[in-house]
Amino acid sequence: MKSTTALLVSVILCATAARAETAIDAIAAHKHMGVATCSSSVCHGASQPFRDSDIAQNEFAIWQEFDPHAKAYQILAQPRSQAIARKLGLGDATKAKVCLDCHADNVPAGDRGERFQISDGVGCEACHGGAQLWLNSHADRKVTHADNLAKGMYATADPVKRAQLCLSCHMGEKERMITHRIMGAGHPRLSFELDTFTWLKPHYKITANWIKRKGEWNGVRDWAVGQGVAAENLLDLLVDPKTGWQGIFPELVLFNCQACHKLMKDNSWGPRQGTGLGPGVVRLNDANLVTFRYALAPVDKSAAQRVFEQTRALHQATTQSRDATFAAARNLRGTLESILPKVSAYDYGATSLNPILDAMLADARNGEFRDYAAAEQAAMASESIVLAFENDGKLDKAMAASLHVKLDALYATVKDEDRYSMTPFVAALKDLRAAAP
Ligand code: HEC
Ligand code: HEC
Ligand code: HEC
Ligand code: HEC
């Protein structure tokens, strides 16, 4: 009897593992106990970092004071949000599911513990997963990170899992869609880069102790993985009949905003090898697909070429038919899926950085950065690379300072999406490459 039960359990476990679980499913798999259950001063609510602990234990204080996620719910009460919700006919934004799904930890009522409060916004368990099974055990030093993961803690340290999690809100996915209608009502455009965004307001530090518990950390690898996962997500949304289409139109949020939102007198059209499209055609927002090619440059040149060709084929297919578009998107999706494990396992060391910059610059000179969204991604990629040069420890002070000046100049060219122009961007990227070691 016992062995039958064990067998049954393992069959169920295998079946669950085999199904590709989304980040949203994993986060919602167990009851969410609430931020108040994490924030005691002997847990994560210390005001100063603990000295003899694996972690600082002041994570709550940092989150509450500096992390925009702590204010994500309050944003919904502001006039700006209320206006968006009114235009969409949603009523009160703080009660609208579509807003709460991204601006709070909106698990179903039955999955909320006694101390859970929706007004906590994007709280601890919105990223670390429902703590029902691990809340009491995870502070024990004998308990390993693997034990916690097995009990439903989300693998935030794993770059692929982290990218899927962050993008579920920062790009939107099937269950949490940001639509062009929401943008049209006044929501800011979303843009995301995993490495840059992971380090904007961190409540964690990578130390020798962290590496011992959780494995290696590499910012450029995170950037590369983030591009691949975002590109996969774009294709998933595009081929989904519910999220990819609105009546006779495809969902416009998947396309390049500036392809439509440009001044009539702008006259800046020019050919792009990566699309092969002529003038006057609406283009998919391929920014992550473009940048992912540079991530592949040091890893697998033929895969980079395949992504280039299949992306171009996808752009071409969008001018033919919906079926052709779906087929091309699925082909490209297959390629990304097969190459992503190689990217996440690749050691992006110092020698990989210049090949990435070189691939980016060669494309820039060829006119690949006519579109703002790709240029913005290239700027964030450059930041990831500059920091990696610095962390490698071979830059002297003057060189590091000069690289930062060039990086700031590059960022200045993408500061305003409405005034973006390719020529100064390419010049700034060239300068940055020239200043690299
Ligand atoms: C797919 C997830 C998603 C959905 C759905 C969503 N938001 Fe957002 N929202 C975000 C993210 C992510 C940001 C932060 C963007 C950034 O700064 O990069 C944001 C930013 C905002 C901002 C600007 C905040 C600031 O600090 O400037 C407002 C206002 C806002 N959202 C309101 C709403 C309202 C109202 C709804 C419902 C109609 C909504 N959002 C639906 C993800 C979402
Ligand atoms: C927006 C997502 C997000 C939210 C919200 C969030 N975290 Fe984190 N947290 C992360 C990421 C990413 C890491 C770094 C990767 C890792 O260590 O697993 C991390 C790491 C940690 C660590 C591990 C540090 C280490 O050295 O192992 C602790 C502890 C932690 N968070 C606690 C909290 C607490 C407590 C809250 C709520 C007050 C919270 N986090 C909210 C994403 C989040
Ligand atoms: C449940 C949805 C959700 C998840 C998951 C999420 N975020 Fe956010 N994030 C938001 C919202 C909403 C905002 C905007 C909040 C505001 O403006 O106050 C935001 C804001 C941010 C900002 C500030 C952006 C800016 O322009 O200043 C950063 C950085 C950020 N998130 C990083 C991350 C990272 C890294 C992850 C994954 C580890 C992540 N987020 C996961 C919803 C989410
Ligand atoms: C295929 C063309 C197309 C694409 C691509 C597109 N839009 Fe739009 N957008 C429109 C149209 C059409 C309207 C409606 C204009 C009107 O109501 O007068 C609009 C309206 C808007 C508005 C409201 C403007 C107003 O006057 O109130 C915003 C904001 C907006 N879009 C943002 C975006 C963002 C952000 C993106 C990219 C993620 C995007 N759009 C992509 C065609 C497009």
Side-chain angles (χ1 to χ4, degrees):
M1 186 60 205
K2 204 174 163 202
S3 66
T4 335
T5 317
L7 189 69
L8 199 67
V9 167
S10 68
V11 167
I12 293 169
L13 284 177
C14 288
T16 328
R19 205 189 75 226
E21 193 187 43
T22 67
I24 296 177
D25 292 342
I27 292 291
H30 304 288
K31 197 177 245 189
H32 287 214
M33 312 309 286
V35 172
T37 61
C38 318
S39 62
S40 133
S41 61
V42 293
C43 300
H44 298 289
S47 51
Q48 292 300 321
F50 272 47
R51 245 186 269 144
D52 55 347
S53 167
D54 282 341
I55 59 162
Q57 297 195 211
N58 62 349
E59 294 82 10
F60 167 75
I62 295 176
W63 171 83
Q64 190 180 42
E65 192 169 348
F66 302 108
D67 191 328
H69 294 112
K71 287 153 198 99
Y73 174 88
Q74 269 94 313
I75 293 275
L76 296 180
Q78 290 177 359
R80 197 171 157 200
S81 290
Q82 295 294 333
I84 296 174
R86 198 165 52 247
K87 288 184 191 169
L88 293 165
L90 290 170
D92 181 356
T94 64
K95 306 247 154 47
K97 178 176 175 353
V98 58
C99 308
L100 288 171
D101 278 352
C102 291
H103 283 261
D105 186 12
N106 197 25
V107 288
D111 292 338
R112 299 178 182 182
E114 275 166 29
R115 302 178 71 188
F116 179 97
Q117 283 188 314
I118 193 75
S119 58
D120 283 333
V122 180
C124 318
E125 291 161 288
C127 288
H128 291 292
Q132 183 180 16
L133 302 183
W134 54 261
L135 182 61
N136 290 331
S137 59
H138 79 290
D140 186 333
R141 275 192 132 166
K142 289 195 292 287
V143 171
T144 64
H145 186 52
D147 294 333
N148 292 327
L149 297 182
K151 286 189 175 154
M153 187 184 275
Y154 193 78
T156 42
D158 173 329
V160 173
K161 297 269 186 215
R162 177 155 32 93
Q164 288 168 341
L165 169 70
C166 310
L167 286 165
S168 73
C169 293
H170 282 271
M171 181 175 180
E173 62 116 273
K174 283 187 229 169
E175 308 297 318
R176 264 180 205 165
M177 189 56 182
I178 190 95
T179 59
H180 183 259
R181 289 176 191 204
I182 299 179
M183 301 284 173
H187 196 280
R189 183 179 61 89
L190 297 184
S191 77
F192 186 79
E193 190 281 290
L194 185 63
D195 188 31
T196 309
F197 275 59
T198 296
W199 292 104
L200 281 185
K201 301 283 176 221
H203 52 275
Y204 36 80
K205 275 198 185 107
I206 307 306
T207 58
N209 177 305
W210 189 97
I211 292 168
K212 198 171 94 210
R213 287 180 288 117
K214 293 181 165 173
E216 287 299 321
W217 185 281
N218 182 315
V220 175
R221 173 207 58 191
D222 286 1
W223 158 71
V225 165
Q227 296 307 308
V229 173
E232 284 187 349
N233 194 36
L234 170 80
L235 300 173
D236 288 345
L237 293 173
L238 181 68
V239 302
D240 186 79
K242 218 175 74 216
T243 54
W245 301 81
Q246 295 272 341
I248 65 166
F249 288 105
E251 170 51 61
L252 300 185
V253 88
L254 307 177
F255 288 76
N256 211 295
C257 313
Q258 278 76 21
C260 296
H261 293 286
K262 209 156 73 166
L263 297 178
M264 199 74 89
K265 60 173 186 237
D266 191 66
N267 241 337
S268 67
W269 186 86
R272 261 191 61 198
Q273 291 192 348
T275 70
L277 297 171
V281 181
V282 184
R283 310 171 280 290
L284 278 169
N285 177 4
D286 62 357
N288 300 119
L289 283 158
V290 169
T291 331
F292 190 52
R293 304 203 298 255
Y294 315 136
L296 289 173
V299 182
D300 185 337
K301 279 217 163 69
S302 73
Q305 181 62 23
R306 202 153 70 243
V307 171
F308 172 81
E309 282 160 14
Q310 292 184 335
T311 303
R312 193 177 149 105
L314 173 64
H315 281 296
Q316 297 290 314
T318 61
T319 65
Q320 290 155 17
S321 71
R322 196 153 143 171
D323 285 346
T325 302
F326 282 20
R330 292 204 176 97
N331 265 344
L332 177 53
R333 177 72 166 78
T335 299
L336 298 178
E337 204 175 318
S338 68
I339 194 72
L340 197 58
K342 207 165 153 187
V343 169
S344 63
Y346 187 75
D347 172 22
Y348 282 90
T351 55
S352 71
L353 304 177
N354 279 328
I356 297 173
L357 283 178
D358 287 338
M360 204 145 72
L361 186 58
D363 259 10
R365 290 187 157 130
N366 264 332
E368 265 304 80
F369 291 101
R370 286 186 192 284
D371 287 320
Y372 173 78
E376 180 190 42
Q377 280 297 334
M380 291 193 276
S382 302
E383 177 170 14
S384 187
I385 289 170
V386 166
L387 294 180
F389 273 129
E390 230 168 4
N391 292 338
D392 186 46
K394 293 206 187 71
L395 291 186
D396 61 39
K397 260 205 175 124
M399 255 180 122
S402 133
L403 259 181
H404 276 282
V405 169
K406 308 291 181 201
L407 182 64
D408 290 346
L410 184 68
Y411 262 111
T413 67
V414 297
K415 193 160 174 261
D416 181 351
E417 59 190 328
D418 292 322
R419 284 164 190 234
Y420 172 71
S421 141
M422 185 171 70
T423 312
F425 168 81
V426 176
L429 190 63
K430 220 165 99 186
D431 279 357
L432 178 85
R433 174 65 187 93

